[in-house]
């Protein structure tokens, strides 16, 4: 067999999770990478020759995590608020204003350094694709600079001007701004618009206005909904054909039925549920009803200060009734779908198949179930992004 000088073959994969119907999960597998894509998948015994060979010694390989919900553009610290919450003070949307004040006061360099720090932290743990949001600026200039800074670090950026109403404006004046001048300033730098539809933030009519303005500006739609109590967020997201409704902590039977017959993905944020002392979102009921789900970290300084997708997967398995394959899928392929990615397209993320992205997470364990079997143990051994090893062991 001819040796391909441009290819790297990864052999000795104890368990390969592909998230595809054609390959499923393979044992004693190999995978070939050319440039930034996977070019071949199959048994190690029949792997094609390549100039560069990496034997992973029976370790498990899976697609890199897709973190489809983060808020990385912020400054300041909310440790005291978190401590008080752990002593019984309830979480409320109002805490966002603390971070808005600190973010407005921060320099671009401070915000960029924090963004890079958190992106690097996520990558070291296997997150190869990441969405992040604005939402702690809440002036035209601050939302625009947050979007520009985010676009330098994240794969996709969401405009969340409609996070809360800032203290200096009335709700009516602020909505005019978000749906007008602010949207015009931010739209060239983002793919998505989002709205926090919750008591203490925006009601259904206000949220609908934000989504319609975003759609008219050519943006895709996302909603934060049903985080702190039952509410209109899920139904609004489904009615507007949003790609994702995020949180979904407090769902009625009608919400679950609506999600089950929609294309809107329910993005569940278990670290946030735990850190705000909410119940965990009803992942099992959603899947059993036929809804599509994603798992994401919701990294932010108020409600979920973690970049660990592994923690979310572990929690989903141990506490939310998902099997390991269901949780893995939700944190990779499901999250890609929540960002409206086609899993069969050339360069697809969240899956491993010929012509998918070569974004690969290698665990220091023989199978992925160890993510739940060994809770809290850092299992990332190596991470490859765009076909190149970027962190960890990859001799
Ligand atoms: O997704 N829900 C709205 N936004 C963030 C919270 C941000 C904060 O408390 O700073 C969230 O949980």
């Amino acid at each position: 067999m001819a040796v391909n000088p441009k290819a790297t073959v990864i052999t000795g994969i104890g368990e390969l999770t592909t998230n595809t119907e054609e390959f499923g999960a393979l044992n004693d597998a190999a995978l070939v990478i050319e440039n930034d894509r996977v070019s071949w998948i199959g048994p190690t015994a029949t792997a094609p020759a390549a100039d560069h060979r990496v034997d992973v010694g029976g370790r498990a390989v899976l697609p890199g995590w897709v973190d489809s919900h983060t808020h990385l553009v912020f400054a300041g610290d909310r440790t005291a608020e978190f401590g008080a919450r752990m002593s019984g003070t309830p979480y409320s949307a109002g805490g966002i204003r603390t971070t808005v004040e600190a973010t407005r006061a921060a320099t671009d360099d401070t915000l960029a350094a924090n963004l890079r720090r958190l992106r690097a932290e996520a990558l070291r743990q296997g997150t190869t694709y990441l969405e992040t949001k604005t939402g702690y600026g809440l002036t035209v200039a601050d939302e625009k600079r947050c979007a520009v800074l985010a676009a330098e670090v994240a794969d996709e950026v969401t405009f969340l001007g409609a996070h809360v109403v800032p203290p200096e404006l009335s709700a009516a004046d602020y909505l005019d701004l978000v749906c007008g001048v602010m949207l015009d300033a931010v739209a060239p730098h983002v793919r998505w618009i989002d709205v926090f539809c919750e008591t203490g933030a925006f009601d259904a009519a206000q949220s609908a206005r934000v989504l319609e303005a975003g759609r008219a500006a050519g943006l895709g739609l996302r909603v934060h909904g049903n985080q702190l109590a039952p509410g209109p967020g899920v139904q609004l997201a489904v009615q507007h054909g949003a790609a994702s409704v995020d949180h979904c902590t407090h769902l009625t039977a009608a919400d679950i039925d609506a999600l089950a017959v929609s294309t809107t993905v329910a993005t569940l944020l278990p670290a946030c549920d735990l850190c705000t002392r909410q119940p965990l979102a009803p992942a099992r009921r959603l899947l059993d009803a036929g809804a599509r789900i994603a798992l994401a970290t919701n990294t932010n300084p108020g409600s979920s200060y973690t970049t660990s997708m592994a923690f979310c997967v572990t929690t989903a398995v141990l506490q939310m009734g998902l099997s390991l394959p269901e949780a893995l899928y939700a944190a990779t392929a499901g999250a890609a779908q929540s960002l409206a990615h086609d899993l069969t397209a050339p360069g697809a993320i969240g899956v491993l198949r010929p012509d998918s992205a070569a974004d690969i997470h290698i665990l220091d364990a023989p199978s992925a179930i160890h993510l739940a079997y060994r809770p809290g143990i850092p299992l990332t051994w190596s991470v490859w992004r765009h076909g190149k090893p970027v962190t960890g062991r990859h001799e």
Side-chain angles (χ1 to χ4, degrees):
M1 190 180 292
V3 174
N4 182 341
K6 288 186 307 190
T8 297
V9 59
I10 299 180
T11 59
I13 301 173
E15 178 193 81
L16 178 64
T17 299
T18 68
N19 289 336
T20 68
E21 277 172 23
E22 60 267 49
F23 295 106
L26 299 175
N27 299 113
D28 196 14
L31 173 152
V32 178
I33 295 171
E34 283 184 55
N35 301 315
D36 59 351
R37 302 277 172 91
V38 173
S39 62
W40 185 90
I41 283 177
T44 288
T46 60
D51 242 15
H52 190 209
R53 195 177 175 96
V54 177
D55 189 315
V56 297
R59 292 180 172 83
V61 171
L62 46 144
W65 304 127
V66 177
D67 195 347
S68 58
H69 184 136
T70 77
H71 305 247
L72 301 191
V73 199
F74 68 85
D77 178 86
R78 306 234 319 253
T79 313
E81 176 191 321
F82 180 77
R85 189 152 72 243
M86 295 305 111
S87 301
T89 307
Y91 174 81
S92 79
I96 293 167
R97 293 193 185 91
T98 310
T99 302
V100 170
E101 204 181 320
T103 303
R104 287 177 176 178
T107 64
D108 288 5
D109 285 350
T110 300
L111 293 176
N114 197 41
L115 261 163
R116 283 195 301 271
R117 174 182 70 85
L118 290 167
R119 182 64 191 96
E121 184 181 279
L123 183 63
R124 280 198 302 278
Q125 301 170 87
T127 300
T128 50
Y129 198 91
L130 178 138
E131 176 272 5
T132 202
K133 303 176 203 306
T134 72
Y136 291 121
L138 311 189
T139 65
V140 174
D142 283 305
E143 283 296 298
K144 182 178 169 187
R145 81 171 173 137
C146 289
V148 169
L149 291 168
E152 285 169 10
V153 168
D155 298 288
E156 299 195 20
V157 182
T158 300
F159 170 42
L160 182 58
H163 203 180
V164 285
V165 177
E168 68 275 10
L169 289 179
S170 69
D173 287 347
Y174 187 60
L175 267 182
D176 286 348
L177 196 65
V178 167
C179 299
V181 177
M182 190 184 282
L183 177 59
D184 293 343
V186 177
H189 307 284
V190 302
R191 178 175 181 209
W192 303 97
I193 192 162
D194 199 339
V195 56
F196 186 16
C197 180
E198 194 87 29
T199 302
F202 298 91
D203 66 20
Q206 293 168 328
S207 300
R209 186 175 159 203
V210 171
L211 295 178
E212 279 151 25
R215 195 203 304 278
L219 303 182
L221 310 185
R222 319 184 74 72
V223 174
H224 280 61
N226 302 63
Q227 175 181 0
L228 304 171
V234 165
Q235 300 289 344
L236 185 84
V238 169
Q239 283 156 16
H240 282 78
S244 181
V245 55
D246 300 41
H247 287 284
C248 295
T249 304
H250 297 274
L251 299 184
T252 63
D255 293 331
I256 292 179
D257 290 347
L259 285 164
V261 294
S262 78
T263 55
T264 303
V265 175
T267 296
L268 312 182
L269 309 168
C272 176
D273 291 338
L274 291 172
C275 292
T276 54
R277 296 246 165 111
Q278 295 289 316
L280 287 158
R284 185 74 265 152
R285 282 168 55 216
L286 283 161
L287 277 189
D288 289 347
R292 298 194 297 174
I293 66 164
L295 288 167
T297 62
N298 190 18
T299 315
N300 76 79
S303 65
S304 185
Y305 199 12
T306 180
T307 53
S308 175
M309 288 293 286
F311 177 79
C312 298
V313 166
T314 305
T315 304
V317 176
L318 297 182
Q319 294 285 315
M320 297 165 79
L322 297 193
S323 67
L324 191 277
E326 287 169 337
L328 276 192
Y329 192 91
T332 51
Q337 289 173 319
S338 83
L339 293 166
H341 286 247
D342 176 354
L343 303 181
T344 64
I349 57 166
V351 295
L352 294 174
R353 60 147 49 95
D355 216 21
S356 73
D359 290 350
I360 292 163
H361 186 190
I362 307 177
L363 301 182
D364 196 8
S367 59
I369 190 69
H370 282 243
L371 288 163
Y373 183 41
R374 307 199 65 218
I377 305 301
L379 289 179
T380 297
W381 189 72
S382 170
V383 181
W384 294 54
R385 184 164 183 259
H386 300 163
K388 297 269 182 300
V390 287
T391 177
R393 308 258 305 274
H394 36 72
E395 65 274 357

